[in-house]
Amino acid sequence: MEAGMNVLHDMGIQATHYLQQNYQSSQSWFLFISFAADLRNTFFILFPIWFHLCEAVGVKLIWVAVIGDWLNLVFKWILFGQRPYWWVRETGYYGNASTPVIQQFPLTCETGPGSPSGHAMGSAGVYYVMVTALLPCVQGTQHRSCAARCRRGLLWLVFWAVQVCVCLSRVFLAAHFPHQVIAGVISGMVVAEAFDHIYSIYNASLRRYLGTTLFLFSFALGLYLLLKALGVDLLWTLEKAERWCDRPEWIHIETTPFAGLLRNLGILFGLGLALNSPMYRESCKGNVGRQLPFRLSCIVASLLVLHLFDSFDLPTDRELLFYVLSFCKSAAAHLCAVALIPYCLAQVLSRGHKKIL
């Protein structure tokens, strides 16, 4: 088993070495793709746009992203996947032969296990949701016409082009092996397809959101404590990242497993709190909520407010405090985007309308 994995890892190292040697001029592009594929951009950019244009798609994006990233965490803890940038430094596979030289970048030093790729899994799930949401629009009533097929094919071509770029980016940066990004893409699509058949998320109560949040956190924490009691350290990758990352400043607490978990759960809880609030019902579900100018105003205001939340740096000197504040910040940000901002805009518009009358 170990010999087979060494061969697979070596093939991945050779792929990374080839990309870095022959596509060094595309470094900025690969860095941008890896940054854009981060789930943070789904939560703070894609979600407010989709939610205020088509609420169901926005809600589905959050559920797919959060549940997909939670499953990714569980898979990583079970599979114990290596990452290229540390495996190549400590493996004895090459013996007396020269070890391939692998370059590192600011986005290389992820601190969690490598399999499956979280970027690839998140990107595949999110873009699968968006593509399937756009398909009815581009197909029109003539589903079998040549034009409809071309438009449908173009959408899926864009989807796969994005996934290939994300996969190549993660391999180029030496953050993942090829088999890890492929597993991530497949897993992300499976999660997104599963949510095509789960309709309860669109009218879930606050109790369900709270129950789901508590279950996801309790399961992850319970798994961590159980395996730790059995002598399995699930944070074994932190030591490897600190040892083999070329620059200490490239290691960020935001990439630790529990940091992503608490951020995502805060977003999910914030969404549930907002959707079940009086502010949301009075604004988005009222007459003004069906007006396009109101929805566009909500998008612009939400993007600005979410950017402010995202740019607010949390203290990192105390890890537990960082996790708690991360949960609270994510919940507050999406409560504002979904309920508070639409409510304030609706109040302003209604007062302006009364003055005109």
Side-chain angles (χ1 to χ4, degrees):
M1 181 65 177
E2 183 179 354
M5 290 305 299
N6 282 336
V7 172
L8 189 62
H9 288 150
D10 175 57
M11 292 172 61
I13 292 296
Q14 298 303 327
T16 298
H17 184 72
Y18 175 82
L19 289 174
Q20 292 184 354
Q21 289 295 314
N22 294 276
Y23 296 93
Q24 190 62 227
S25 60
S26 301
Q27 173 182 329
S28 298
W29 170 250
F30 285 130
L31 285 169
F32 169 76
I33 290 295
S34 193
F35 167 78
D38 193 291
L39 277 182
R40 184 187 300 270
N41 294 308
T42 297
F43 297 134
F44 290 90
I45 298 177
L46 296 178
F47 166 72
I49 296 174
W50 275 103
F51 180 82
H52 291 296
L53 289 179
C54 183
E55 179 184 312
V57 178
V59 171
K60 187 178 178 182
L61 273 179
I62 293 294
W63 279 90
V64 168
V66 170
I67 300 300
D69 206 47
W70 178 82
L71 287 171
N72 182 264
L73 173 64
V74 174
F75 289 154
K76 284 180 175 179
W77 278 351
I78 295 174
L79 298 176
F80 287 83
Q82 303 282 340
R83 287 186 184 269
Y85 78 92
W86 74 56
W87 181 87
V88 73
R89 297 282 188 89
E90 62 183 21
T91 182
Y93 176 76
Y94 297 102
N96 296 326
S98 59
T99 302
V101 177
I102 299 300
Q103 185 180 356
Q104 295 183 17
F105 305 90
L107 298 180
T108 297
C109 300
E110 298 276 355
T111 59
S115 187
S117 166
H119 279 73
M121 188 171 177
S123 173
V126 166
Y127 277 84
Y128 191 92
V129 170
M130 293 192 294
V131 166
T132 52
L134 290 172
L135 282 177
C137 301
V138 301
Q139 289 178 165
T141 56
Q142 303 295 326
H143 297 279
R144 298 185 178 181
S145 66
C146 181
R149 290 177 178 176
C150 289
R151 290 192 294 266
R152 185 168 61 248
L154 181 61
L155 267 182
W156 284 116
L157 181 63
V158 171
F159 170 83
W160 285 111
V162 170
Q163 305 318 309
V164 169
C165 287
V166 172
C167 292
L168 290 177
S169 169
R170 302 306 288 168
V171 173
F172 175 88
L173 297 178
H176 287 288
F177 293 100
H179 70 276
Q180 295 173 343
V181 293
I182 293 173
V185 171
I186 296 173
S187 301
M189 293 176 63
V190 170
V191 172
E193 179 63 27
F195 273 93
D196 275 344
H197 309 285
I198 302 176
Y199 305 106
S200 59
I201 61 174
Y202 303 114
N203 55 5
S205 64
L206 179 58
R207 177 178 294 182
R208 171 162 292 187
Y209 274 97
L210 178 59
T212 303
T213 301
L214 290 175
F215 169 78
L216 296 177
F217 176 74
S218 300
F219 187 95
L221 181 61
L223 178 63
Y224 170 78
L225 294 176
L226 174 62
L227 293 180
K228 186 175 183 180
L230 295 175
V232 180
D233 182 15
L234 292 178
L235 300 182
W236 59 278
T237 56
L238 291 176
E239 182 271 334
K240 290 184 179 293
E242 292 171 353
R243 178 189 299 179
W244 299 116
C245 187
D246 286 345
R247 298 187 183 181
E249 63 269 22
W250 288 350
I251 300 176
H252 303 286
I253 191 174
E254 292 88 351
T255 66
T256 59
F258 278 108
L261 175 67
L262 269 297
R263 178 201 64 189
N264 295 346
L265 295 184
I267 291 170
L268 184 65
F269 179 69
L271 175 65
L273 196 61
L275 291 177
N276 291 278
S277 68
M279 291 186 296
Y280 166 76
R281 289 192 293 268
E282 292 181 22
S283 55
C284 295
K285 290 301 182 181
N287 292 329
V288 69
R290 292 188 286 270
Q291 300 174 10
L292 183 60
F294 170 77
R295 291 178 175 270
L296 295 178
S297 300
C298 287
I299 291 175
V300 174
S302 296
L303 288 173
L304 290 174
V305 171
L306 288 176
H307 175 70
L308 291 176
F309 271 100
D310 190 36
S311 61
F312 179 72
D313 293 327
L314 300 175
T316 58
D317 53 335
R318 297 172 63 184
E319 194 170 352
L320 181 60
L321 178 63
F322 175 84
Y323 293 153
V324 173
L325 292 178
S326 179
F327 177 90
C328 295
K329 184 180 84 168
S330 299
H334 287 75
L335 177 62
C336 289
V338 174
L340 183 59
I341 290 175
Y343 177 77
C344 293
L345 288 176
Q347 294 298 311
V348 170
L349 291 176
S350 64
R351 289 179 182 177
H353 182 67
K354 289 179 180 179
K355 289 182 179 179
I356 294 176
L357 294 178

